[in-house]
Amino acid sequence: VMETVGEIGEKLVQQWLTSKNWRILKHRWRSRFGEIDLIALPESNHSLAFIEVKTRSYNNWDEDGLLAINYQKQVKLTQTAMYFIAKYPKYSDFNCRFDVVLVHYQKNQSQFSDVTKSSLIWQDNYFQIQDYLENAFEVQF
């Protein structure tokens, strides 16, 4: 099965977070409300991060995916997160936050020789984490 650009972006973020000692609880966790790309525990401070990954090519039309996190998307993510906590009540006293990760990809990786923890090369595409936005939007549970 061929992986999509979005799946590769998520995989890169997952590897990067793991390298920073985060514990990944779920990848592509689904409920009837929607899907959350990654659910993870940062290495410290008793918090639970619901992470949305947006992978875009350079010079894209929606501000690297930020415009895709509109109000309706925020509501879906919030409902899905609440459902997750209802299903796994041991996390109910954790500080919940919604993070957004923007990943860029570019064809023809030959110009990129240095691959770091925050980048990878896949099928001649160069992927790089562009921005990690903690608490990208506020939600009251």
Side-chain angles (χ1 to χ4, degrees):
V1 178
M2 266 270 285
E3 290 180 290
T4 65
V5 160
E7 288 166 337
I8 299 301
E10 290 166 14
K11 197 171 278 186
L12 169 60
V13 172
Q14 189 169 345
Q15 289 170 0
W16 181 69
L17 291 173
T18 303
S19 80
K20 295 164 78 64
N21 296 322
W22 286 42
R23 213 170 103 233
I24 306 297
L25 298 177
K26 302 286 178 190
H27 177 219
R28 294 204 150 191
W29 193 80
R30 283 190 171 85
S31 79
R32 61 188 173 169
F33 303 108
E35 179 184 276
I36 294 179
D37 295 332
L38 293 166
I39 302 174
L41 296 171
E43 80 176 304
S44 59
N45 74 21
H46 205 65
S47 62
L48 180 63
F50 297 97
I51 304 164
E52 181 69 14
V53 179
K54 291 294 174 200
T55 305
R56 299 288 190 266
S57 59
Y58 287 86
N59 302 321
N60 54 72
W61 56 271
D62 70 348
E63 289 182 36
D64 298 332
L66 274 181
L67 297 181
I69 318 276
N70 58 21
Y71 179 74
Q72 287 87 346
K73 179 70 172 177
Q74 292 177 25
V75 167
K76 276 185 169 179
L77 289 168
T78 305
Q79 290 173 322
T80 305
M82 288 167 68
Y83 187 77
F84 176 85
I85 288 169
K87 202 168 158 86
Y88 300 97
K90 67 179 174 186
Y91 298 113
S92 61
D93 64 335
F94 281 55
N95 300 315
C96 294
R97 67 183 213 215
F98 292 87
D99 297 354
V100 174
V101 191
L102 306 178
V103 177
H104 275 172
Y105 76 96
Q106 192 164 336
K107 277 213 167 305
N108 199 347
Q109 61 78 22
S110 51
Q111 62 213 23
F112 304 104
S113 55
D114 57 330
V115 176
T116 64
K117 278 189 174 152
S118 64
S119 66
L120 63 78
I121 291 169
W122 173 79
Q123 290 198 346
D124 223 29
N125 285 301
Y126 177 78
F127 286 75
Q128 184 172 33
I129 294 174
Q130 198 59 33
D131 210 349
Y132 191 100
L133 308 167
E134 264 185 41
N135 292 307
F137 58 93
E138 288 296 317
V139 171
Q140 301 303 311
F141 275 88

